[in-house]
Amino acid sequence: MSPSDCGPVVVTGGSRGIGAATVERLAAAGRPVAFSYASSDVAAQTLCERVVQAGGRAVACKADTSDEAAVNELFETCIVRFGPPTGVFINAGITGPACRLTELDPFNLRRVLEVNVVGSFLAAQAAVRAMSETGGGSIVLMSSRAARLGGANEWVHYAASKGAVDSLCVGLAREAGPAGIRVNAVAPGLIDTAIHAAAGRGERLDETVSAVPLGRIGTAGEVASTVAWLLSDESGYVSGTIIDVGGGR
Ligand code: NAP
């Protein structure tokens, strides 16, 4: 294992769902993880305890990813506790309530763009600054299959926010490559987490599973394993790529 393969990782939105599965997977592989969350102290604390019980290292940081100072504090926490990150997973994201475009409340529109777009940019800035000082690393952004499917009748605004993440991935990979920094994204399809119910669409997975060629909903662990690979040296020549994890849909 090379030093960057076992180096510290920052994960935004790591307390639940895909982020939490990734934190556990990385910690089990021996990588210390500093992760952020927005509101649920209990979920974050429980995850930290689970990681420690399994012999890993993790620290939780309450840090709204759309707040520049909070994002910088998350990175500072990682540096102080574990050292500069060699991997960063920019995962935190929300959909807002599901609705058609004409019914979209401007407050919800702005919040989704603040968290998914501005938040991803802020974390990417902090990641590049930290990695430029230490000779490079790997950044993984969280996109969605929605970016190219469009999110019609549910969340066109969310799909568009992930389209912006795709552009960030391609542009930043070119900008940061010379500093030894790889930038990729994952684009999950239908994954079994609480995000659908939070949007008021708890039945969504059952309704849409028939459209998935593999015939089933994906798990958070299946996205986490792709992210862990992108964060490792096993993917050392992969950069500027968006990998679908969508069961063929
Ligand atoms: P989830 O189960 O709802 O978990 C979201 C995580 O992000 C939680 O830890 C939450 O913390 C945190 N978070 C939310 N807003 C935040 C903010 N402003 N600042 C910091 N942390 C914040 O969601 P998920 O399904 O795992 O989704 C994770 C990412 O994958 C999102 O970007 C989502 O768009 C993307 N994605 C998901 C699917 C899917 O089907 N699930 C498909 C494609 C893409 P709190 O609990 O404290 O709020």
Side-chain angles (χ1 to χ4, degrees):
M1 223 190 289
S2 82
S4 61
D5 250 0
C6 51
V9 182
V10 169
V11 176
T12 70
S15 61
R16 295 186 293 110
I18 296 167
T22 308
V23 169
E24 289 202 82
R25 188 179 179 100
L26 294 169
R31 298 186 78 161
V33 186
F35 71 87
S36 67
Y37 64 102
S39 54
S40 176
D41 299 324
V42 174
Q45 222 32 62
T46 307
L47 176 60
C48 277
E49 285 163 15
R50 229 174 23 242
V51 166
V52 169
Q53 268 167 20
R57 285 182 292 167
V59 61
C61 192
K62 192 170 194 166
D64 184 328
T65 209
S66 66
D67 175 341
E68 185 185 4
V71 171
N72 290 338
E73 203 177 307
L74 168 67
F75 278 77
E76 198 50 37
T77 301
C78 179
I79 291 165
V80 169
R81 286 286 296 272
F82 305 131
T86 58
V88 174
F89 179 30
I90 302 172
N91 165 70
I94 55 171
T95 62
C99 64
R100 290 168 66 84
L101 185 73
T102 46
E103 285 135 29
L104 179 60
D105 179 328
F107 173 83
N108 290 327
L109 168 62
R110 288 202 175 90
R111 186 64 190 148
V112 167
L113 296 178
E114 276 280 318
V115 173
N116 296 3
V117 182
V118 177
S120 295
F121 271 77
L122 293 175
Q125 285 181 314
V128 171
R129 283 185 198 119
M131 288 173 173
S132 298
E133 285 173 19
T134 55
S138 171
I139 298 171
V140 179
L141 292 153
M142 176 52 88
S143 179
S144 169
R145 286 291 297 124
R148 276 159 290 152
L149 294 172
N153 302 311
E154 289 185 312
W155 41 52
V156 173
H157 55 298
Y158 167 77
S161 76
K162 296 299 187 178
V165 170
D166 287 356
S167 297
L168 170 62
C169 173
V170 175
L172 186 59
R174 293 178 182 185
E175 196 169 302
I181 300 170
R182 297 188 295 113
V183 185
N184 294 287
V186 286
L190 298 163
I191 307 299
D192 187 8
T193 72
I195 201 170
H196 312 279
R201 295 279 281 112
E203 67 293 351
R204 183 168 182 265
L205 296 176
D206 288 337
E207 281 175 8
T208 38
V209 65
S210 59
V212 182
L214 285 186
R216 66 176 178 84
I217 299 303
T219 66
E222 287 172 314
V223 183
S225 56
T226 308
V227 174
W229 176 73
L230 285 171
L231 290 174
S232 78
D233 291 346
E234 292 284 310
S235 60
Y237 201 56
V238 181
S239 195
T241 295
I242 300 153
I243 298 185
D244 289 351
V245 188
R249 176 171 173 261

mmCIF file of all heavy atoms in Angstrom, residues 49-69:
data_model
loop_
_atom_site.group_PDB
_atom_site.id
_atom_site.type_symbol
_atom_site.label_atom_id
_atom_site.label_comp_id
_atom_site.label_asym_id
_atom_site.label_seq_id
_atom_site.Cartn_x
_atom_site.Cartn_y
_atom_site.Cartn_z
ATOM 1 N N GLU A 49 -18.838 5.876 16.842
ATOM 2 C CA GLU A 49 -18.680 4.776 17.804
ATOM 3 C C GLU A 49 -18.545 3.436 17.081
ATOM 4 O O GLU A 49 -17.722 2.594 17.452
ATOM 5 C CB GLU A 49 -19.875 4.745 18.771
ATOM 6 C CG GLU A 49 -19.815 5.859 19.813
ATOM 7 C CD GLU A 49 -21.158 6.086 20.497
ATOM 8 O OE1 GLU A 49 -22.048 5.218 20.381
ATOM 9 O OE2 GLU A 49 -21.319 7.150 21.135
ATOM 10 N N ARG A 50 -19.355 3.246 16.032
ATOM 11 C CA ARG A 50 -19.289 1.993 15.267
ATOM 12 C C ARG A 50 -17.902 1.814 14.630
ATOM 13 O O ARG A 50 -17.335 0.733 14.644
ATOM 14 C CB ARG A 50 -20.362 2.003 14.183
ATOM 15 C CG ARG A 50 -21.161 0.741 14.173
ATOM 16 C CD ARG A 50 -22.337 0.656 13.245
ATOM 17 N NE ARG A 50 -22.392 1.489 12.090
ATOM 18 C CZ ARG A 50 -23.340 2.394 11.889
ATOM 19 N NH1 ARG A 50 -24.269 2.604 12.795
ATOM 20 N NH2 ARG A 50 -23.361 3.098 10.762
ATOM 21 N N VAL A 51 -17.372 2.905 14.082
ATOM 22 C CA VAL A 51 -16.054 2.848 13.439
ATOM 23 C C VAL A 51 -14.980 2.498 14.465
ATOM 24 O O VAL A 51 -14.130 1.624 14.231
ATOM 25 C CB VAL A 51 -15.729 4.193 12.743
ATOM 26 C CG1 VAL A 51 -14.261 4.281 12.371
ATOM 27 C CG2 VAL A 51 -16.605 4.370 11.508
ATOM 28 N N VAL A 52 -15.023 3.167 15.608
ATOM 29 C CA VAL A 52 -14.011 2.937 16.650
ATOM 30 C C VAL A 52 -14.110 1.497 17.171
ATOM 31 O O VAL A 52 -13.092 0.816 17.339
ATOM 32 C CB VAL A 52 -14.161 3.963 17.789
ATOM 33 C CG1 VAL A 52 -13.301 3.591 18.988
ATOM 34 C CG2 VAL A 52 -13.792 5.355 17.285
ATOM 35 N N GLN A 53 -15.345 1.024 17.383
ATOM 36 C CA GLN A 53 -15.530 -0.362 17.852
ATOM 37 C C GLN A 53 -14.947 -1.385 16.881
ATOM 38 O O GLN A 53 -14.466 -2.437 17.272
ATOM 39 C CB GLN A 53 -17.016 -0.663 18.055
ATOM 40 C CG GLN A 53 -17.466 -0.389 19.498
ATOM 41 C CD GLN A 53 -18.974 -0.375 19.627
ATOM 42 O OE1 GLN A 53 -19.673 -0.918 18.772
ATOM 43 N NE2 GLN A 53 -19.472 0.240 20.687
ATOM 44 N N ALA A 54 -14.971 -1.020 15.592
ATOM 45 C CA ALA A 54 -14.433 -1.928 14.563
ATOM 46 C C ALA A 54 -12.929 -1.743 14.384
ATOM 47 O O ALA A 54 -12.338 -2.352 13.494
ATOM 48 C CB ALA A 54 -15.163 -1.693 13.241
ATOM 49 N N GLY A 55 -12.330 -0.867 15.207
ATOM 50 C CA GLY A 55 -10.875 -0.689 15.159
ATOM 51 C C GLY A 55 -10.412 0.427 14.246
ATOM 52 O O GLY A 55 -9.209 0.571 13.990
ATOM 53 N N GLY A 56 -11.346 1.250 13.744
ATOM 54 C CA GLY A 56 -10.971 2.335 12.843
ATOM 55 C C GLY A 56 -10.909 3.683 13.543
ATOM 56 O O GLY A 56 -11.083 3.776 14.761
ATOM 57 N N ARG A 57 -10.642 4.722 12.746
ATOM 58 C CA ARG A 57 -10.575 6.080 13.293
ATOM 59 C C ARG A 57 -11.478 7.009 12.481
ATOM 60 O O ARG A 57 -11.397 7.033 11.251
ATOM 61 C CB ARG A 57 -9.137 6.609 13.242
ATOM 62 C CG ARG A 57 -8.239 5.987 14.299
ATOM 63 C CD ARG A 57 -6.849 6.581 14.234
ATOM 64 N NE ARG A 57 -6.161 6.202 13.020
ATOM 65 C CZ ARG A 57 -5.034 6.782 12.587
ATOM 66 N NH1 ARG A 57 -4.491 7.773 13.251
ATOM 67 N NH2 ARG A 57 -4.456 6.369 11.472
ATOM 68 N N ALA A 58 -12.327 7.747 13.196
ATOM 69 C CA ALA A 58 -13.201 8.710 12.514
ATOM 70 C C ALA A 58 -13.529 9.846 13.462
ATOM 71 O O ALA A 58 -13.631 9.641 14.677
ATOM 72 C CB ALA A 58 -14.491 8.034 12.049
ATOM 73 N N VAL A 59 -13.685 11.048 12.901
ATOM 74 C CA VAL A 59 -14.124 12.189 13.690
ATOM 75 C C VAL A 59 -15.247 12.878 12.921
ATOM 76 O O VAL A 59 -15.188 13.002 11.691
ATOM 77 C CB VAL A 59 -12.948 13.155 13.998
ATOM 78 C CG1 VAL A 59 -12.335 13.715 12.727
ATOM 79 C CG2 VAL A 59 -13.402 14.296 14.889
ATOM 80 N N ALA A 60 -16.299 13.272 13.666
ATOM 81 C CA ALA A 60 -17.441 13.943 13.047
ATOM 82 C C ALA A 60 -17.364 15.434 13.297
ATOM 83 O O ALA A 60 -16.953 15.874 14.369
ATOM 84 C CB ALA A 60 -18.739 13.389 13.629
ATOM 85 N N CYS A 61 -17.788 16.206 12.323
ATOM 86 C CA CYS A 61 -17.728 17.660 12.421
ATOM 87 C C CYS A 61 -19.048 18.228 11.905
ATOM 88 O O CYS A 61 -19.398 18.005 10.742
ATOM 89 C CB CYS A 61 -16.558 18.115 11.534
ATOM 90 S SG CYS A 61 -16.048 19.785 11.719
ATOM 91 N N LYS A 62 -19.797 18.899 12.775
ATOM 92 C CA LYS A 62 -21.053 19.503 12.324
ATOM 93 C C LYS A 62 -20.694 20.703 11.447
ATOM 94 O O LYS A 62 -20.185 21.708 11.960
ATOM 95 C CB LYS A 62 -21.877 19.937 13.530
ATOM 96 C CG LYS A 62 -23.292 20.296 13.196
ATOM 97 C CD LYS A 62 -24.095 20.467 14.479
ATOM 98 C CE LYS A 62 -25.569 20.489 14.203
ATOM 99 N NZ LYS A 62 -26.342 20.327 15.432
ATOM 100 N N ALA A 63 -20.900 20.599 10.164
ATOM 101 C CA ALA A 63 -20.426 21.630 9.241
ATOM 102 C C ALA A 63 -21.321 21.679 8.013
ATOM 103 O O ALA A 63 -21.253 20.798 7.153
ATOM 104 C CB ALA A 63 -18.982 21.330 8.818
ATOM 105 N N ASP A 64 -22.186 22.685 7.961
ATOM 106 C CA ASP A 64 -23.030 22.866 6.781
ATOM 107 C C ASP A 64 -22.128 23.108 5.576
ATOM 108 O O ASP A 64 -21.335 24.045 5.555
ATOM 109 C CB ASP A 64 -23.966 24.066 6.998
ATOM 110 C CG ASP A 64 -24.946 24.235 5.846
ATOM 111 O OD1 ASP A 64 -24.591 23.910 4.692
ATOM 112 O OD2 ASP A 64 -26.066 24.706 6.100
ATOM 113 N N THR A 65 -22.282 22.273 4.589
ATOM 114 C CA THR A 65 -21.343 22.290 3.457
ATOM 115 C C THR A 65 -21.498 23.526 2.571
ATOM 116 O O THR A 65 -20.636 23.789 1.736
ATOM 117 C CB THR A 65 -21.501 20.965 2.661
ATOM 118 O OG1 THR A 65 -20.279 20.645 2.052
ATOM 119 C CG2 THR A 65 -22.623 21.047 1.638
ATOM 120 N N SER A 66 -22.568 24.298 2.772
ATOM 121 C CA SER A 66 -22.720 25.534 2.005
ATOM 122 C C SER A 66 -22.095 26.730 2.721
ATOM 123 O O SER A 66 -22.175 27.864 2.247
ATOM 124 C CB SER A 66 -24.205 25.810 1.725
ATOM 125 O OG SER A 66 -24.893 26.072 2.934
ATOM 126 N N ASP A 67 -21.472 26.472 3.872
ATOM 127 C CA ASP A 67 -20.870 27.531 4.693
ATOM 128 C C ASP A 67 -19.337 27.396 4.596
ATOM 129 O O ASP A 67 -18.758 26.423 5.079
ATOM 130 C CB ASP A 67 -21.371 27.344 6.136
ATOM 131 C CG ASP A 67 -20.729 28.317 7.111
ATOM 132 O OD1 ASP A 67 -19.664 28.889 6.808
ATOM 133 O OD2 ASP A 67 -21.295 28.479 8.208
ATOM 134 N N GLU A 68 -18.717 28.398 3.982
ATOM 135 C CA GLU A 68 -17.279 28.316 3.706
ATOM 136 C C GLU A 68 -16.458 28.090 4.978
ATOM 137 O O GLU A 68 -15.546 27.246 5.005
ATOM 138 C CB GLU A 68 -16.821 29.597 3.009
ATOM 139 C CG GLU A 68 -15.363 29.538 2.583
ATOM 140 C CD GLU A 68 -14.869 30.852 2.005
ATOM 141 O OE1 GLU A 68 -15.636 31.839 2.012
ATOM 142 O OE2 GLU A 68 -13.708 30.879 1.567
ATOM 143 N N ALA A 69 -16.796 28.843 6.046
ATOM 144 C CA ALA A 69 -16.018 28.721 7.291
ATOM 145 C C ALA A 69 -16.156 27.311 7.866
ATOM 146 O O ALA A 69 -15.184 26.717 8.359
ATOM 147 C CB ALA A 69 -16.488 29.760 8.309
#
